[in-house]
Amino acid sequence: REDIFMGKFVLIGGVTPPLSLDIIDEEIIRLTDNKKPKVLYVPTAGGDDPDYCDFFRGIYEKRFGCDLDILYLVRENPTEYEIKEKIFLSDVIYVEGGETQSLMGYFKKYKMDEILLKAYKNGIVLAGKSAGALCWGSYYFEDEEINDFKNYIDIECLKFLNFIICPHYNMEGYSEKMDAMINMHGGVGIGIENNCALEIINDKYRIIATNCDSNAYKVYQSGTKICLEIIIKDSNFRNMKELIQIPS
């Protein structure tokens, strides 16, 4: 929002089994400065699938010992008070992947943009995987078939971060999708491969990965050409302006 960066984000491109996201999950927990953080899981994009919830509980509650709660927006019809209570009592809000259009539709229905904005300003850690990562950015294309960019839905996301986020960047069709989004909207896009995440703390960022072969990329348009740059993986944080600036 107006290139002013604040808050804490961990945006995960996806996961390729049998690899785990333990290194990234541990970093999400570390950012809370709490030995037993309260983690709010939001499985909306996956339709509040019980299997997703059980899997996530097995990781964050049973493996890492977090205090886990779940916000159901599909299976239940919570009041604004109930939503706010869950969110503002949390140290982490983790949005699961799935269908982006459905996710943003439910977020709009429950005015989650306003509530999450306050959580963002309050310094609650905002995390997510796949659709749960891209939702914090600016726009996204949801297409019914891979590489079918004639029949797509252009979805407006939360815009807490003023760039396009494209997960699963190592998988078929996603780099082409990113190119199409940059052609339409301009600006910068960040492509994040599976087993990799973009971590942001206020005006600093770094790339973390559970696999040395997993990477993230900066994509932008220069004239009529789409440019792709690999983002350096470094244990040190770098300036966000460097990430979103388009070279002259």
Side-chain angles (χ1 to χ4, degrees):
R1 298 195 170 198
E2 299 180 356
D3 292 350
I4 298 172
F5 296 98
M6 54 184 286
K8 301 174 184 178
F9 293 88
V10 180
L11 312 175
I12 307 165
V15 61
T16 304
L19 294 175
S20 77
L21 297 173
D22 282 3
I23 293 172
I24 298 171
D25 291 330
E26 288 168 354
E27 179 63 11
I28 291 171
I29 293 167
R30 187 192 70 80
L31 288 176
T32 67
D33 294 321
N34 191 330
K35 290 184 178 179
K36 188 174 182 179
K38 295 180 179 179
V39 177
L40 181 64
Y41 181 59
V42 184
T44 310
D48 288 352
D49 189 319
D51 290 339
Y52 281 21
C53 298
D54 289 345
F55 183 77
F56 191 85
R57 186 181 299 279
I59 296 170
Y60 273 79
E61 187 175 76
K62 295 180 180 178
R63 187 182 306 172
F64 293 122
C66 298
D67 184 356
L68 182 68
D69 196 5
I70 300 175
L71 176 61
Y72 296 109
L73 298 179
V74 181
R75 291 165 52 186
E76 298 179 1
N77 186 26
T79 65
E80 183 177 342
Y81 174 82
E82 290 170 332
I83 293 171
K84 286 181 175 179
E85 186 175 40
K86 284 178 179 282
I87 284 178
F88 297 133
L89 287 176
S90 300
D91 298 301
V92 175
I93 297 167
Y94 190 115
V95 183
E96 185 56 85
E99 295 183 5
T100 306
Q101 185 181 15
S102 175
L103 174 64
M104 298 314 300
Y106 277 101
F107 275 9
K108 184 176 181 180
K109 174 182 176 180
Y110 288 100
K111 299 180 179 178
M112 288 286 285
D113 56 341
E114 299 172 13
I115 301 170
L116 289 170
L117 180 60
K118 187 173 180 181
Y120 160 76
K121 290 181 176 179
N122 286 352
I124 295 172
V125 178
L126 305 178
K129 180 168 78 264
S130 187
L134 69 87
C135 70
W136 307 105
S138 54
Y139 295 94
Y140 194 71
F141 284 0
E142 190 149 82
D143 47 297
E144 294 183 2
E145 297 181 16
I146 291 175
N147 296 334
D148 181 15
F149 301 120
K150 293 180 180 177
N151 298 297
Y152 63 81
I153 300 166
D154 187 27
I155 300 168
E156 186 172 353
C157 299
L158 292 169
K159 296 185 176 178
F160 291 5
L161 298 166
N162 60 344
F163 48 82
I164 293 167
I165 299 162
C166 185
H168 309 301
Y169 206 66
N170 55 303
M171 296 175 64
E172 182 184 357
Y174 283 89
S175 63
E176 292 83 0
K177 180 185 289 192
M178 173 71 96
D179 290 354
M181 290 189 287
I182 293 296
N183 269 322
M184 172 171 280
H185 293 291
V188 168
I190 305 298
I192 308 172
E193 293 184 339
N194 286 3
N195 315 309
C196 186
L198 169 62
E199 178 182 6
I200 299 171
I201 302 178
N202 299 320
D203 62 346
K204 306 290 183 184
Y205 80 93
R206 68 176 177 176
I207 303 300
I208 52 177
T210 60
N211 179 359
C212 62
D213 296 327
S214 298
N215 293 290
Y217 302 84
K218 175 178 176 176
V219 185
Y220 58 92
Q221 192 165 22
S222 178
T224 58
K225 181 184 177 183
I226 298 292
C227 300
L228 176 72
E229 296 178 3
I230 190 168
I231 302 172
I232 296 170
K233 280 187 289 190
D234 192 338
S235 59
N236 296 318
F237 284 85
R238 305 168 75 94
N239 195 298
M240 277 297 295
K241 289 183 179 179
E242 166 192 305
L243 184 66
I244 64 160
Q245 186 174 20
I246 296 176
S248 56

